[in-house]
Amino acid sequence: MAHRKPLASPATEQRWRDAVRAWRASGLTADAFVADQPYCASTLRWWSSKLRDDPAPTFIELRPRTATSPVPAPPLVVEVGAARVQVTEGFDPAHLAAVVRVLAEAAR
């Protein structure tokens, strides 16, 4: 993104942005709008054209998201005969199969 040379100090430029925005929102002609202002219509029109050609930069505040812990899945309960085995996430399938085999043989 190319950097532009400011038209004036940031405060002055913002004051003119506000004035041009108010003028456009008023629906009045430049001459009518400046009737009670300390500047002339030609200056208002000049700023209007400059600011239209050179829009104000837009800044977006970026905030990191807070880390959220995943909700663990409820445990799985395996019943073999009278035995109950509670299995949680991350279990070793081979180990579970071995436990179920032993319980099944003991239940016979």
Side-chain angles (χ1 to χ4, degrees):
M1 173 183 214
H3 294 287
R4 67 171 175 83
K5 181 180 178 192
L7 297 171
S9 72
T12 298
E13 194 171 320
Q14 187 57 52
R15 275 195 306 272
W16 280 105
R17 283 187 192 289
D18 294 343
V20 168
R21 189 176 300 116
W23 169 45
R24 289 180 180 154
S26 75
L28 298 171
T29 65
D31 293 319
F33 184 80
V34 301
D36 61 345
Q37 300 296 326
Y39 47 84
C40 63
S42 62
T43 304
L44 180 64
R45 284 190 291 267
W46 183 86
W47 274 100
S48 175
S49 69
K50 290 301 176 190
L51 295 173
R52 186 178 318 123
D53 296 340
D54 194 14
T58 302
F59 296 95
I60 300 172
E61 182 178 355
L62 300 177
R63 291 185 220 156
R65 286 194 216 172
T66 56
T68 56
S69 301
V71 177
L76 170 68
V77 177
V78 178
E79 293 184 17
V80 180
R84 295 182 70 183
V85 178
Q86 188 171 348
V87 182
T88 58
E89 279 187 54
F91 70 92
D92 178 2
H95 186 79
L96 177 61
V99 169
V100 169
R101 263 193 311 278
V102 168
L103 292 174
E105 287 175 11
R108 288 187 202 161

